[in-house]
């Protein structure tokens, strides 16, 4: 791209679908440990809501033979923006189809990135209406603060694994109008990982090089907490619940995110994150590039990156 600017046609990441071979245990993890609420069931899927998400659902769990990521939904900034994005994807882009098959959102223009990840762009959405027992004291939040588990507030970002990071980065910038905020350069020069934002957040979607050469896999999804203290408490909650804690709490140098990584029972990696007060207000933000040598130093502080962070992805491959 000649310019690194947001078009603002995409407002934000709306929700994400996770595949799981243990849907009952995965549901319990997100409800009891993450503090989310199950709001609907449809066939082999369970819909979960984070307490301050204005939309109907935050995560869709779908029963499957293996783990991995299904659709990622992106909300357009207007009906006109949806039409513009869909036209650009259909003509000169990867193409796609209009579908209207999801709970609470639609019509959806369903497309795929160069790596095969399924992405749905939509405008119309049903706002979440809390039942009486979940009515908040403050009318400017979606639901009552759950006061259990990690108390995650919203979906923060999705980190994909990709066989070709530059191709996927070009797709996000040229077809969806995202702005690249940070990147890791590989020894050969092209980015080994890229962070993109559609909004004023530091990042919404990430592509990291898949060390196996596979396509369409997931590195992790991230759920946002209010404070660092929430993440510290979440580590204790996960310990008591027998959840596998992979690494953290530490602080990333890239994006300065305070984090905890755990594996939900289906095998998908889930990050609890708190990026503090960092926002991308500059409309012409200059991408921050990290060299392999800088990346090898590890986190801003905390322990060195654990080996499984570079080798675990879903679905698993031999």
């Amino acid at each position: 791209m000649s310019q690194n600017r947001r078009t603002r046609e995409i407002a934000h990441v709306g929700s994400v679908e996770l595949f799981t071979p243990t849907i009952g245990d995965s549901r319990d993890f997100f409800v009891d440990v993450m503090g989310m609420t199950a709001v609907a069931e449809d066939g082999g899927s369970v819909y979960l809501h984070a307490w301050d998400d204005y939309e109907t659902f935050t995560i869709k769990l779908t029963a499957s033979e293996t783990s991995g990521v299904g659709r990622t939904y992106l909300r357009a900034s207007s009906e006109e923006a949806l039409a513009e994005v869909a036209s650009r994807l259909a003509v000169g882009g990867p193409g796609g189809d209009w579908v209207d098959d999801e709970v609470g959102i639609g019509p959806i223009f369903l497309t795929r990135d160069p790596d095969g990840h399924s992405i749905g762009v939509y405008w119309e959405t049903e706002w979440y209406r809390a039942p009486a027992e979940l009515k908040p004291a403050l009318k400017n939040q979606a639901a009552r603060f759950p006061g259990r588990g990690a108390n995650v507030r919203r979906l923060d970002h999705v980190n994909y694994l990709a066989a070709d990071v530059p191709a996927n980065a070009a797709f996000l910038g040229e077809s969806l109008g995202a702005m690249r905020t940070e990147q890791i350069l590989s020894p050969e020069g092209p980015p080994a990982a890229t962070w993109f934002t559609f909004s004023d957040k530091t990042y919404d979607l990430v592509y990291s090089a898949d060390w196996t050469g596979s396509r369409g896999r997931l590195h992790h999804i991230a759920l946002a907490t209010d404070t660092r203290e929430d993440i510290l408490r979440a580590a204790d909650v996960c310990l008591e619940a027998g959840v596998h804690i992979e690494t953290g709490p530490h602080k990333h140098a890239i994006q300065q995110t305070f984090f905890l990584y755990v594996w939900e029972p289906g095998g998908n990696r889930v990050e609890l994150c708190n990026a503090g007060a960092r926002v991308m207000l500059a409309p012409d933000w200059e991408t921050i590039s990290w060299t392999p040598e800088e990346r090898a130093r590890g986190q801003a502080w905390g322990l060195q990156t654990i080996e499984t962070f570079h080798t675990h992805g879903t679905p698993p491959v031999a």
Side-chain angles (χ1 to χ4, degrees), residues 84-155:
E84 177 64 29
V85 170
S87 175
R88 190 162 59 242
L89 289 167
V91 180
D97 296 293
W98 286 101
V99 299
D100 195 359
D101 59 357
E102 190 55 277
V103 170
I105 61 174
I108 302 159
F109 190 80
L110 195 61
T111 188
R112 290 187 181 273
D113 67 17
D115 217 70
H117 299 100
S118 181
I119 295 175
V121 186
Y122 66 99
W123 161 245
E124 295 181 17
T125 188
E126 293 180 13
W127 284 50
Y128 176 78
R129 303 300 179 194
E133 68 274 15
L134 295 178
K135 287 286 186 184
L138 299 175
K139 63 192 299 183
N140 56 1
Q141 67 188 45
R144 176 177 297 181
F145 181 76
R148 70 177 188 280
N151 300 300
V152 295
R153 188 164 195 152
R154 56 176 172 79
L155 176 67

Side-chain angles (χ1 to χ4, degrees), residues 66-83:
T66 188
S67 52
V69 63
R71 297 179 185 176
T72 299
Y73 289 117
L74 308 177
R75 192 177 186 206
S77 57
S78 67
E79 188 172 4
E80 294 74 20
L82 172 59

Side-chain angles (χ1 to χ4, degrees), residues 254-300:
I254 296 172
Q255 302 290 3
Q256 298 191 32
T257 310
F258 190 75
F259 67 86
L260 173 73
Y261 289 99
V262 302
W263 297 358
E264 59 90 17
N268 297 298
R269 180 186 285 110
V270 176
E271 179 186 16
L272 296 172
C273 68
N274 182 267
R278 293 195 72 230
V279 290
M280 299 290 103
L281 297 179
D284 54 351
W285 175 262
E286 295 183 6
T287 304
I288 303 300
S289 296
W290 299 82
T291 66
E293 294 76 20
E294 291 171 326
R295 187 70 179 97
R297 295 171 192 164
Q299 312 305 332

